[in-house]
Amino acid sequence: MRQIEAAQVTQAVKAAAIAANYEPGADLLAALARGAETEESPSGKEIFRQLLENARIAKEERIPMCQDCGLAVVFAEVGQDVRLVGGDFDQAINEGIRQGYGEGFLRKSLCHPLTRANTGDNTPAVIHTEIVPGDRLKLTVVPKGGGSENMSRLYMLKPADGLAGIKEKVVTAVQEAGPNPCPPIIVGVGIGGNFERAALLAKKSLLRELGQANPDPEVAVIERQLLEEVNCLGIGPSGLGGRITAMAVHVLMQPCHIASLPVAVNIQCHASRHQEVIL
Amino acid sequence: MAKTVKLTSPLTDQDVLQLNIGDTVLVSGVIYTARDAAHKRLVDLLAKGEPLPMDLAGQIMYYVGPSPARPGRVIGAAGPTTSYRMDSYAPTLIKMGLKAMIGKGKRAVEVIDAMKAYKAVYLGATGGAGALISQRIKAAEVIAFPELGPEAVHRLEVEDFPAIVINDCQGRDLYEQGVREYRRTAAR
Ligand code: SF4
């Protein structure tokens, strides 16, 4: 058994939360630069340029990329040969979020659902823990903005709806979202599993390097077709009209019940933030 | 033909009537911030017949909840939040003389109708460009509801704050026009 201290977890989560908000990934920067080149609409091109400039300022001037520093989603892959000592795992993660959002001058965006009173420190995080082989601990901090999360949808389709039904729902979700989720977006799609698994698949698909195809060729084809259809909508950057509404569509698929066809669409704005650490 | 117009708050009817969808506006002067929670408080105050923390006549409301300022800085990131969450409150404020709203995303018919009836405009700032936009904010001060944290009402002083006219006083909509221009049918 390899021992990992809870304090190490806190430290790692804190650093990742800060880095995610200030340092856009190379994949995102490349996609924005490509967009500035290829977008046909003049206003869309200008938005891509602004977003590149925004990313530069965020990193150099230490201002978060977006004022919505997100609800902190944390994916934890815990090696089965890891033993956590010196504290409670979820508490250690939440402490990292508390410290990162405090010391990193990040916005605290969590509140009581009914009174709307702010929790003050951006906790609790939404934590997804998985046990995997090995003696490592992988933590991925994903700050997720409210604007794009609000435009996400879950559909329980009939098996007869098939691939055509799935496509129709994905396109409808993006169309209804329109300018609201800060396009250019990334569309995360979860197909199969059950009610909660489809949503988790959709969210997980967003962790993949931007624009990398699903390794399964059958799914990769669906991704390509969906991207094309979504980009026919004409919403464009900031919703001002243009060819690039989505920079990518990522799909994850798994078997489902013989009676069901769950489909989740998790919309990710261009402020696609995820930071991974391995302990 | 889209034009660029420099405006200084407070705005007059003439200021907003000259604007067409697609125009770029560079706003200078004082603007106020409010998100859903602050809007609810403002509308509740009005319902009770109590005074608002600011005089709305000719003013500009920016839908934003900024991130905290680092020591020595004016403000943190400060891009727009999605405007539809303010739709149920906006007509009341427009009737009180509010001349412009800055945010991102679609507005409800009721808000567009109120803009037409009372001569006001809706301006779009680039969603997610919070670091870039923060550089146009020269001063910031919380003037009401500090307990709301990032949702408190701030008084901002801005210089050449860039925005695009999404809905003008004629009830037109730039989002609809943009989509019409670039939409095509998917080959299935
Ligand atoms: S949707 Fe994303 S980019 Fe837009 S304001 Fe929210 S977090 Fe920022």
Side-chain angles (χ1 to χ4, degrees), chain A residues 105-147:
Chain A
F105 295 93
L106 302 177
R107 197 182 81 184
K108 290 82 182 164
S109 309
L110 260 68
C111 68
H112 185 284
L114 300 180
T115 67
R116 310 306 292 176
N118 199 295
T119 67
D121 57 8
N122 218 51
T123 70
V126 172
I127 304 169
H128 301 290
T129 305
E130 240 179 279
I131 307 291
V132 299
D135 64 356
R136 297 293 167 113
L137 169 59
K138 181 160 114 182
L139 295 159
T140 311
V141 179
V142 189
K144 184 69 169 69

Side-chain angles (χ1 to χ4, degrees), chain A residues 245-256:
Chain A
T245 301
M247 297 184 281
V249 177
H250 290 181
V251 178
L252 282 176
M253 187 158 84
Q254 76 168 57
C256 56

Side-chain angles (χ1 to χ4, degrees), chain A residues 22 41 50 53-54 57 61-65 67 105 107 151 175-176 180 182 229 232 238-243 270, chain B residues 65 68-71 73 77 79-80 84 104-106 126-132 135 150 175 178-179 182-184 188:
Chain A
Y22 287 92
S41 103
Q50 288 181 13
E53 176 68 0
N54 185 64
I57 293 171
E61 309 271 331
R62 304 306 284 167
I63 306 171
M65 273 190 272
Q67 74 290 336
F105 295 93
R107 197 182 81 184
M151 296 296 116
Q175 179 165 21
E176 285 174 359
N180 294 4
C182 294
E229 291 205 22
C232 282
S238 262
L240 302 175
R243 298 287 174 224
H270 60 75
Chain B
R70 285 180 183 273
R73 299 261 183 92
Y84 73 91
K104 64 159 168 120
K106 292 173 281 193
T126 304
L132 180 68
Q135 306 210 314
Y175 292 138
V179 165
Y182 286 93
R183 194 187 167 90
R184 43 188 177 195
R188 282 214 183 170

Side-chain angles (χ1 to χ4, degrees), chain A residues 149-184:
Chain A
E149 195 74 353
N150 278 345
M151 296 296 116
S152 301
R153 298 286 179 262
L154 177 67
Y155 306 97
M156 300 303 284
L157 299 184
K158 297 189 296 293
D161 295 329
L163 183 56
I166 294 171
K167 285 184 180 171
E168 198 242 292
K169 288 301 182 199
V170 174
V171 172
T172 305
V174 175
Q175 179 165 21
E176 285 174 359
N180 294 4
C182 294

Side-chain angles (χ1 to χ4, degrees), chain A residues 66-68 145-148 181-182 269-271 273, chain B residues 80 104 127-128:
Chain A
C66 183
Q67 74 290 336
D68 184 351
S148 55
C182 294
C269 52
H270 60 75
R273 296 159 286 195
Chain B
K104 64 159 168 120

Side-chain angles (χ1 to χ4, degrees), chain B residues 49-132:
Chain B
E50 287 174 27
L52 295 184
M54 76 290 268
D55 176 8
L56 282 178
Q59 293 304 333
I60 303 174
M61 194 69 93
Y62 183 22
Y63 301 150
V64 58
S67 69
R70 285 180 183 273
R73 299 261 183 92
V74 169
I75 201 164
T81 192
T82 325
S83 307
Y84 73 91
R85 299 194 319 272
M86 274 56 77
D87 281 354
S88 52
Y89 309 110
T92 307
L93 303 188
I94 293 171
K95 279 177 209 160
M96 300 279 301
L98 185 70
K99 281 286 149 210
M101 299 153 283
I102 308 175
K104 64 159 168 120
K106 292 173 281 193
R107 303 314 302 264
V109 183
E110 294 75 30
V111 183
I112 294 174
D113 287 347
M115 284 190 263
K116 253 168 97 171
Y118 296 92
K119 300 188 188 66
V121 289
Y122 171 51
L123 308 172
T126 304
L132 180 68

Side-chain angles (χ1 to χ4, degrees), chain B:
Chain B
M1 199 43 205
K3 56 187 182 295
T4 298
V5 182
K6 281 186 173 247
L7 289 180
T8 302
S9 68
L11 306 180
T12 63
D13 282 358
Q14 282 69 34
D15 284 335
V16 295
L17 280 167
Q18 63 171 319
L19 300 176
N20 295 312
I21 56 169
D23 288 348
T24 296
V25 179
L26 298 171
V27 179
S28 296
V30 170
I31 63 177
Y32 294 97
T33 75
R35 294 170 47 100
D36 345 18
H39 271 79
K40 184 171 188 319
R41 301 267 185 115
L42 293 175
V43 170
D44 285 351
L45 284 175
L46 286 173
K48 281 189 277 178
E50 287 174 27
L52 295 184
M54 76 290 268
D55 176 8
L56 282 178
Q59 293 304 333
I60 303 174
M61 194 69 93
Y62 183 22
Y63 301 150
V64 58
S67 69
R70 285 180 183 273
R73 299 261 183 92
V74 169
I75 201 164
T81 192
T82 325
S83 307
Y84 73 91
R85 299 194 319 272
M86 274 56 77
D87 281 354
S88 52
Y89 309 110
T92 307
L93 303 188
I94 293 171
K95 279 177 209 160
M96 300 279 301
L98 185 70
K99 281 286 149 210
M101 299 153 283
I102 308 175
K104 64 159 168 120
K106 292 173 281 193
R107 303 314 302 264
V109 183
E110 294 75 30
V111 183
I112 294 174
D113 287 347
M115 284 190 263
K116 253 168 97 171
Y118 296 92
K119 300 188 188 66
V121 289
Y122 171 51
L123 308 172
T126 304
L132 180 68
I133 291 172
S134 74
Q135 306 210 314
R136 303 296 174 95
I137 300 171
K138 303 301 169 189
E141 177 197 0
V142 172
I143 59 153
F145 320 134
E147 64 282 7
L148 294 179
E151 301 203 66
V153 172
H154 295 66
R155 177 184 185 277
L156 305 181
E157 278 170 40
V158 298
E159 217 174 274
D160 289 338
F161 181 107
I164 296 182
V165 181
I166 303 290
N167 298 114
D168 56 23
C169 303
Q170 283 90 59
R172 290 180 295 184
D173 189 320
L174 180 66
Y175 292 138
E176 282 176 14
Q177 180 186 286
V179 165
R180 263 200 308 277
E181 207 172 316
Y182 286 93
R183 194 187 167 90
R184 43 188 177 195
T185 21
R188 282 214 183 170

